[in-house]
Amino acid sequence: MGFLRSSDTATGADSKATLLVADGGSSASSRRTSSWSMPVDLLEESVRRLRVVAGIYALAFFLAGPLVTVLSPGGAKLLFSVPVLWVPAAVSIAGALLMVAWASQPNLSPRLKVHVGLVFEILGSFGIAAAEYHHIAAPISYGQFGYGSFGMSWVSVWVLFFSIIVPTAPMIGLVAAALSVAAVPTTYAIGVALGSNVPLDPSSFFFSLVFPYCVILMMVYASGRVVYHL
């Protein structure tokens, strides 16, 4: 902060002091941001977007899951004959709608809502993975080239979408995203243990179900830092 003093010497009148506050900008300490925290205004914006994202999750899960099965010939009968075909979708959609309602409560703090929203991101990822990775008989076949990877799960789309639309502190977002993408190898491994998924050799398991999601995590962290600092 700087001060400027001026005196009225031309007329011989009493000297007058004029103080001008120099705009030195915010201090270096106030400009620092933490990778583990967020300002209140950004938290409030995250809560507003969290409700939208949860609603989109519920709608997208319904359109890409139960609706497609029901519209296919004999799909409705098949859907409700095997619990694993409809329970993950039903629980995930219901959880998303509850998230919308809970985040709309006015008496809860924005920080608490965002933290619960991150838990929803993780549980929502497990719901997607549970709906995808069951009764896997073999990896994708590429004809004469043999078997290959399964391709990317919808979990990758969900995690990237959530991390970009709902601003969070970069490190917090990275931890939540790591736990979210872990749903893919964890769910598949549980299926193998239960005998519903075909076992994979360690190399195939890593490059099909682990490595691609490490790349997703790098994207999540990079995009999270850009959005956060903007």
Side-chain angles (χ1 to χ4, degrees):
M1 181 180 295
F3 300 95
L4 177 64
R5 177 183 178 89
S6 62
S7 300
D8 185 3
T9 56
T11 59
D14 294 335
S15 62
K16 299 178 181 179
T18 302
L19 299 181
L20 301 177
V21 180
D23 185 10
S26 57
S27 65
S29 60
S30 65
R31 286 196 302 268
R32 295 193 193 103
T33 58
S34 171
S35 293
W36 294 92
S37 63
M38 290 197 304
V40 176
D41 57 340
L42 192 55
L43 284 170
E44 293 174 346
E45 178 65 17
S46 294
V47 171
R48 185 183 69 82
R49 296 185 180 187
L50 175 60
R51 294 193 294 267
V52 176
V53 167
I56 293 175
Y57 176 94
L59 179 61
F61 210 129
F62 174 73
L63 294 176
L67 181 62
V68 173
T69 305
V70 169
L71 293 179
S72 62
K77 183 179 179 180
L78 174 64
L79 178 65
F80 294 105
S81 65
V82 183
V84 73
L85 296 179
W86 65 270
V87 170
V91 173
S92 298
I93 293 171
L97 296 178
L98 286 175
M99 185 72 249
V100 174
W102 193 84
S104 301
Q105 299 300 313
N107 56 337
L108 300 174
S109 70
R111 190 176 303 277
L112 177 61
K113 291 179 180 179
V114 170
H115 288 169
V116 173
L118 293 173
V119 175
F120 165 67
E121 177 191 6
I122 298 168
L123 296 180
S125 298
F126 275 88
I128 296 172
E132 289 180 322
Y133 294 101
H134 57 82
H135 297 86
I136 305 298
I140 296 176
S141 176
Y142 290 93
Q144 62 178 338
F145 300 104
Y147 290 108
S149 64
F150 294 105
M152 299 295 287
S153 165
W154 278 95
V155 169
S156 60
V157 178
W158 163 242
V159 171
L160 279 172
F161 179 69
F162 188 98
S163 63
I164 294 174
I165 301 300
V166 182
T168 55
M171 290 305 299
I172 294 292
L174 180 63
V175 171
L179 294 175
S180 297
V181 298
V184 175
T186 300
T187 302
Y188 191 90
I190 292 174
V192 172
L194 295 176
S196 63
N197 292 342
V198 61
L200 301 175
D201 61 82
S203 177
S204 297
F205 185 89
F206 176 78
F207 285 105
S208 294
L209 302 170
V210 177
F211 179 75
Y213 302 95
C214 295
V215 177
I216 293 295
L217 288 180
M218 291 190 294
M219 296 180 181
V220 166
Y221 184 69
S223 61
R225 287 190 63 86
V226 170
V227 172
Y228 180 69
H229 288 296
L230 284 176

